[in-house]
Amino acid sequence: MRSSAASDVYKRQMLDELNNMENSITLRDENGEEVKLYVLEETKLNGESYLLASDTKDGDGECYLLRDTSKPEDAEAAYEFVDDDGELEYMSKVFAELMSDLGVDIE
């Protein structure tokens, strides 16, 4: 049986490990090179799943909007960059609102 103090230390260690885990994805760009992006937020709209991702883990970086193109039977998700101007503008507003709730501004 663990003491309460030992249990608290264990819980803090587990929380630290979860916070330090990278929530990242690796994609291939148009040149076939691997690009690592860090997921900032995700949402689902009209049956489509979207990610807001950045090229840096901390601090200022470029943000990208990605759409999940995988089918329900696929074992892994497949993402593509959102490039339609209307969809990009609309989803940018959605993610700006979601991120502002967290105190993060997207320009």
PDB file of all heavy atoms in Angstrom, residues 2 8 14 25 34 37 45 67 76-77 79 81 89 91 93 104:
ATOM      1  N   ARG A   2       0.582   2.190  -0.852  1.00  0.00           N
ATOM      2  CA  ARG A   2       1.351   3.424  -0.930  1.00  0.00           C
ATOM      3  C   ARG A   2       0.836   4.428   0.091  1.00  0.00           C
ATOM      4  O   ARG A   2      -0.354   4.501   0.362  1.00  0.00           O
ATOM      5  CB  ARG A   2       1.218   4.054  -2.304  1.00  0.00           C
ATOM      6  CG  ARG A   2       1.899   3.299  -3.367  1.00  0.00           C
ATOM      7  CD  ARG A   2       1.802   4.079  -4.648  1.00  0.00           C
ATOM      8  NE  ARG A   2       2.441   3.296  -5.691  1.00  0.00           N
ATOM      9  CZ  ARG A   2       2.408   3.598  -6.944  1.00  0.00           C
ATOM     10  NH1 ARG A   2       1.786   4.666  -7.347  1.00  0.00           N
ATOM     11  NH2 ARG A   2       3.005   2.846  -7.827  1.00  0.00           N
ATOM     12  N   ASP A   8       0.786  11.007  -4.140  1.00  0.00           N
ATOM     13  CA  ASP A   8       0.780  12.354  -4.728  1.00  0.00           C
ATOM     14  C   ASP A   8       1.981  12.564  -5.642  1.00  0.00           C
ATOM     15  O   ASP A   8       1.855  13.151  -6.702  1.00  0.00           O
ATOM     16  CB  ASP A   8       0.758  13.421  -3.636  1.00  0.00           C
ATOM     17  CG  ASP A   8      -0.589  13.494  -2.925  1.00  0.00           C
ATOM     18  OD1 ASP A   8      -1.578  12.945  -3.460  1.00  0.00           O
ATOM     19  OD2 ASP A   8      -0.640  14.078  -1.820  1.00  0.00           O
ATOM     20  N   MET A  14       3.184  11.350 -13.247  1.00  0.00           N
ATOM     21  CA  MET A  14       2.362  10.938 -14.389  1.00  0.00           C
ATOM     22  C   MET A  14       1.847  12.160 -15.145  1.00  0.00           C
ATOM     23  O   MET A  14       1.856  12.187 -16.377  1.00  0.00           O
ATOM     24  CB  MET A  14       1.183  10.062 -13.930  1.00  0.00           C
ATOM     25  CG  MET A  14       1.611   8.707 -13.423  1.00  0.00           C
ATOM     26  SD  MET A  14       2.496   7.738 -14.664  1.00  0.00           S
ATOM     27  CE  MET A  14       1.222   7.449 -15.851  1.00  0.00           C
ATOM     28  N   ILE A  25       2.493  15.405 -35.611  1.00  0.00           N
ATOM     29  CA  ILE A  25       2.263  14.550 -36.770  1.00  0.00           C
ATOM     30  C   ILE A  25       3.373  14.823 -37.773  1.00  0.00           C
ATOM     31  O   ILE A  25       3.967  15.900 -37.783  1.00  0.00           O
ATOM     32  CB  ILE A  25       0.877  14.784 -37.410  1.00  0.00           C
ATOM     33  CG1 ILE A  25       0.727  16.238 -37.856  1.00  0.00           C
ATOM     34  CG2 ILE A  25      -0.239  14.389 -36.477  1.00  0.00           C
ATOM     35  CD1 ILE A  25      -0.536  16.503 -38.640  1.00  0.00           C
ATOM     36  N   GLU A  34       9.759  15.013 -45.393  1.00  0.00           N
ATOM     37  CA  GLU A  34       8.986  14.936 -44.161  1.00  0.00           C
ATOM     38  C   GLU A  34       8.954  16.282 -43.448  1.00  0.00           C
ATOM     39  O   GLU A  34       9.969  16.971 -43.361  1.00  0.00           O
ATOM     40  CB  GLU A  34       9.564  13.874 -43.224  1.00  0.00           C
ATOM     41  CG  GLU A  34       9.274  12.474 -43.663  1.00  0.00           C
ATOM     42  CD  GLU A  34       9.638  11.437 -42.623  1.00  0.00           C
ATOM     43  OE1 GLU A  34      10.247  11.785 -41.586  1.00  0.00           O
ATOM     44  OE2 GLU A  34       9.302  10.266 -42.842  1.00  0.00           O
ATOM     45  N   LEU A  37       4.865  18.613 -37.670  1.00  0.00           N
ATOM     46  CA  LEU A  37       4.008  19.684 -37.194  1.00  0.00           C
ATOM     47  C   LEU A  37       3.471  19.326 -35.812  1.00  0.00           C
ATOM     48  O   LEU A  37       3.224  18.149 -35.523  1.00  0.00           O
ATOM     49  CB  LEU A  37       2.841  19.917 -38.154  1.00  0.00           C
ATOM     50  CG  LEU A  37       3.202  20.352 -39.566  1.00  0.00           C
ATOM     51  CD1 LEU A  37       1.949  20.401 -40.435  1.00  0.00           C
ATOM     52  CD2 LEU A  37       3.900  21.699 -39.560  1.00  0.00           C
ATOM     53  N   LEU A  45     -16.247  19.623 -37.850  1.00  0.00           N
ATOM     54  CA  LEU A  45     -17.286  20.501 -38.361  1.00  0.00           C
ATOM     55  C   LEU A  45     -17.895  19.873 -39.606  1.00  0.00           C
ATOM     56  O   LEU A  45     -17.169  19.492 -40.531  1.00  0.00           O
ATOM     57  CB  LEU A  45     -16.695  21.880 -38.681  1.00  0.00           C
ATOM     58  CG  LEU A  45     -17.661  22.973 -39.045  1.00  0.00           C
ATOM     59  CD1 LEU A  45     -18.569  23.311 -37.864  1.00  0.00           C
ATOM     60  CD2 LEU A  45     -16.905  24.213 -39.475  1.00  0.00           C
ATOM     61  N   ARG A  67      -6.966  18.957 -42.979  1.00  0.00           N
ATOM     62  CA  ARG A  67      -8.224  18.215 -43.005  1.00  0.00           C
ATOM     63  C   ARG A  67      -7.913  16.730 -43.014  1.00  0.00           C
ATOM     64  O   ARG A  67      -7.038  16.264 -43.748  1.00  0.00           O
ATOM     65  CB  ARG A  67      -9.026  18.586 -44.254  1.00  0.00           C
ATOM     66  CG  ARG A  67     -10.367  17.882 -44.338  1.00  0.00           C
ATOM     67  CD  ARG A  67     -11.139  18.115 -45.639  1.00  0.00           C
ATOM     68  NE  ARG A  67     -10.954  19.400 -46.265  1.00  0.00           N
ATOM     69  CZ  ARG A  67     -10.149  19.630 -47.317  1.00  0.00           C
ATOM     70  NH1 ARG A  67      -9.437  18.663 -47.833  1.00  0.00           N
ATOM     71  NH2 ARG A  67     -10.066  20.828 -47.848  1.00  0.00           N
ATOM     72  N   GLU A  76      -5.132   4.475 -39.740  1.00  0.00           N
ATOM     73  CA  GLU A  76      -4.501   5.729 -39.342  1.00  0.00           C
ATOM     74  C   GLU A  76      -5.149   6.899 -40.076  1.00  0.00           C
ATOM     75  O   GLU A  76      -5.673   6.743 -41.174  1.00  0.00           O
ATOM     76  CB  GLU A  76      -3.004   5.705 -39.673  1.00  0.00           C
ATOM     77  CG  GLU A  76      -2.220   4.727 -38.835  1.00  0.00           C
ATOM     78  CD  GLU A  76      -0.727   4.838 -39.093  1.00  0.00           C
ATOM     79  OE1 GLU A  76      -0.300   5.798 -39.755  1.00  0.00           O
ATOM     80  OE2 GLU A  76      -0.006   3.960 -38.621  1.00  0.00           O
ATOM     81  N   ALA A  77      -5.078   8.047 -39.440  1.00  0.00           N
ATOM     82  CA  ALA A  77      -5.597   9.256 -40.069  1.00  0.00           C
ATOM     83  C   ALA A  77      -4.658   9.707 -41.178  1.00  0.00           C
ATOM     84  O   ALA A  77      -3.451   9.483 -41.113  1.00  0.00           O
ATOM     85  CB  ALA A  77      -5.742  10.364 -39.031  1.00  0.00           C
ATOM     86  N   TYR A  79      -3.921  13.261 -43.429  1.00  0.00           N
ATOM     87  CA  TYR A  79      -4.230  14.687 -43.454  1.00  0.00           C
ATOM     88  C   TYR A  79      -3.696  15.338 -44.717  1.00  0.00           C
ATOM     89  O   TYR A  79      -2.682  14.931 -45.255  1.00  0.00           O
ATOM     90  CB  TYR A  79      -3.632  15.388 -42.233  1.00  0.00           C
ATOM     91  CG  TYR A  79      -4.275  14.959 -40.941  1.00  0.00           C
ATOM     92  CD1 TYR A  79      -3.698  13.980 -40.154  1.00  0.00           C
ATOM     93  CD2 TYR A  79      -5.466  15.531 -40.522  1.00  0.00           C
ATOM     94  CE1 TYR A  79      -4.293  13.570 -38.972  1.00  0.00           C
ATOM     95  CE2 TYR A  79      -6.069  15.133 -39.342  1.00  0.00           C
ATOM     96  CZ  TYR A  79      -5.481  14.161 -38.572  1.00  0.00           C
ATOM     97  OH  TYR A  79      -6.078  13.755 -37.407  1.00  0.00           O
ATOM     98  N   PHE A  81      -3.253  19.516 -46.389  1.00  0.00           N
ATOM     99  CA  PHE A  81      -3.327  20.937 -46.100  1.00  0.00           C
ATOM    100  C   PHE A  81      -4.596  21.509 -46.725  1.00  0.00           C
ATOM    101  O   PHE A  81      -4.929  21.183 -47.859  1.00  0.00           O
ATOM    102  CB  PHE A  81      -2.100  21.670 -46.652  1.00  0.00           C
ATOM    103  CG  PHE A  81      -0.829  21.314 -45.944  1.00  0.00           C
ATOM    104  CD1 PHE A  81       0.030  20.360 -46.471  1.00  0.00           C
ATOM    105  CD2 PHE A  81      -0.496  21.924 -44.749  1.00  0.00           C
ATOM    106  CE1 PHE A  81       1.206  20.022 -45.815  1.00  0.00           C
ATOM    107  CE2 PHE A  81       0.676  21.591 -44.082  1.00  0.00           C
ATOM    108  CZ  PHE A  81       1.523  20.638 -44.617  1.00  0.00           C
ATOM    109  N   GLU A  89     -10.442  30.385 -44.927  1.00  0.00           N
ATOM    110  CA  GLU A  89     -10.882  31.578 -44.195  1.00  0.00           C
ATOM    111  C   GLU A  89     -11.869  31.208 -43.088  1.00  0.00           C
ATOM    112  O   GLU A  89     -11.758  31.677 -41.953  1.00  0.00           O
ATOM    113  CB  GLU A  89     -11.524  32.571 -45.166  1.00  0.00           C
ATOM    114  CG  GLU A  89     -11.943  33.861 -44.507  1.00  0.00           C
ATOM    115  CD  GLU A  89     -12.526  34.864 -45.496  1.00  0.00           C
ATOM    116  OE1 GLU A  89     -12.206  34.783 -46.702  1.00  0.00           O
ATOM    117  OE2 GLU A  89     -13.306  35.709 -45.038  1.00  0.00           O
ATOM    118  N   MET A  91     -12.389  28.205 -41.580  1.00  0.00           N
ATOM    119  CA  MET A  91     -11.786  27.398 -40.517  1.00  0.00           C
ATOM    120  C   MET A  91     -10.788  28.213 -39.704  1.00  0.00           C
ATOM    121  O   MET A  91     -10.611  27.969 -38.509  1.00  0.00           O
ATOM    122  CB  MET A  91     -11.132  26.137 -41.102  1.00  0.00           C
ATOM    123  CG  MET A  91     -12.126  25.124 -41.642  1.00  0.00           C
ATOM    124  SD  MET A  91     -13.469  24.693 -40.491  1.00  0.00           S
ATOM    125  CE  MET A  91     -12.557  23.989 -39.117  1.00  0.00           C
ATOM    126  N   LYS A  93     -11.227  31.273 -38.828  1.00  0.00           N
ATOM    127  CA  LYS A  93     -12.077  31.963 -37.850  1.00  0.00           C
ATOM    128  C   LYS A  93     -12.501  31.014 -36.725  1.00  0.00           C
ATOM    129  O   LYS A  93     -12.521  31.396 -35.561  1.00  0.00           O
ATOM    130  CB  LYS A  93     -13.300  32.564 -38.533  1.00  0.00           C
ATOM    131  CG  LYS A  93     -12.974  33.736 -39.430  1.00  0.00           C
ATOM    132  CD  LYS A  93     -14.210  34.251 -40.127  1.00  0.00           C
ATOM    133  CE  LYS A  93     -13.852  35.381 -41.082  1.00  0.00           C
ATOM    134  NZ  LYS A  93     -15.014  35.847 -41.847  1.00  0.00           N
ATOM    135  N   VAL A 104      -4.896  32.338 -26.468  1.00  0.00           N
ATOM    136  CA  VAL A 104      -3.886  32.366 -27.525  1.00  0.00           C
ATOM    137  C   VAL A 104      -4.447  33.129 -28.724  1.00  0.00           C
ATOM    138  O   VAL A 104      -5.569  32.861 -29.161  1.00  0.00           O
ATOM    139  CB  VAL A 104      -3.504  30.930 -27.963  1.00  0.00           C
ATOM    140  CG1 VAL A 104      -2.521  30.959 -29.113  1.00  0.00           C
ATOM    141  CG2 VAL A 104      -2.960  30.143 -26.795  1.00  0.00           C
TER     142      VAL A 104
END
